[in-house]
């Protein structure tokens, strides 16, 4: 069995370093320190709390409850940094697709091939919606 280092050591050399939130109950399917570190990594890659929590097999509401738990200040700070990084990454990706376009290859009936290219505005709209989501959520909760 492979032994992994604690998350604070795994992320110690990055801006995402954090002290994991202590578990109230020890559950194999709960927010273990390894799951917390993987969530922060996924959040930095995806820029979406829902997608990151699904990627680690947890629920979005559960992630927010963990963030709000006493002693989770370090985790919450890493969350904020990772979310910002992920949203910047997704926005850059969307702008690249919008400016440089995408190539779509379709094989039609009879073996004909249709190659089209152009900007992917759906990705741009999705990136803009993701940036607007926290503003709407903050407004609703205040």
């Amino acid at each position: 069995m492979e032994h992994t280092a604690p998350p604070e050591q795994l992320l110690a050399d990055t801006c995402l370093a954090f002290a994991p939130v202590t578990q109230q109950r020890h559950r194999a399917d709960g927010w273990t320190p390894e799951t917390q570190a993987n969530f922060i990594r996924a959040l930095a890659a995806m820029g979406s709390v829902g997608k990151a929590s699904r990627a680690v097999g947890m629920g979005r509401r559960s992630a927010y409850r963990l963030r709000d738990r006493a002693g989770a200040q370090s985790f919450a700070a890493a969350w904020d940094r990772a979310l910002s990084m992920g949203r910047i990454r997704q926005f850059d990706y969307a702008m690249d697709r919008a400016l440089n376009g995408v190539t779509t290859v379709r094989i039609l009936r009879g073996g004909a091939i249709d190659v089209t290219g152009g900007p992917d505005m759906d990705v741009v709209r999705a990136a803009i919606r993701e940036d607007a989501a926290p503003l709407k959520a903050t407004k609703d909760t205040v």
Side-chain angles (χ1 to χ4, degrees):
M1 186 157 119
E2 184 179 316
H3 177 70
T4 59
E8 57 267 24
Q9 292 178 355
L10 291 173
L11 301 176
D13 295 335
T14 70
C15 66
L16 300 176
F18 71 99
V21 181
T22 56
Q23 291 179 278
Q24 293 174 335
R25 287 175 268 153
H26 294 287
R27 294 178 47 163
D29 63 344
W31 282 100
T32 64
E34 184 179 52
T35 303
Q36 293 175 45
N38 289 337
F39 171 78
I40 294 296
R41 284 189 196 102
L43 196 54
M46 298 177 187
S48 167
V49 175
K51 290 177 184 175
S53 56
R54 280 191 303 274
V56 297
M58 303 300 284
R60 184 176 186 272
R61 294 181 105 183
S62 174
Y64 277 104
R65 281 194 305 270
L66 178 68
R67 178 189 168 96
D68 292 339
R69 198 180 293 172
Q73 295 83 2
S74 178
F75 177 75
W79 173 315
D80 292 340
R81 289 188 301 270
L83 186 60
S84 178
M85 290 170 63
R87 289 199 171 147
I88 290 169
R89 181 183 316 235
Q90 292 301 313
F91 189 78
D92 288 345
Y93 177 69
M95 288 299 105
D96 178 60
R97 289 183 70 128
L99 295 172
N100 299 319
V102 293
T103 302
T104 305
V105 178
R106 295 183 341 188
I107 300 176
L108 306 172
R109 288 188 181 173
I113 296 176
D114 177 34
V115 179
T116 59
D120 187 353
M121 295 309 292
D122 290 337
V123 176
V124 175
R125 286 186 206 91
I128 292 169
R129 276 194 307 270
E130 281 293 327
D131 276 347
L135 299 175
K136 189 186 299 182
T138 304
K139 196 184 283 184
D140 293 342
T141 57
V142 174

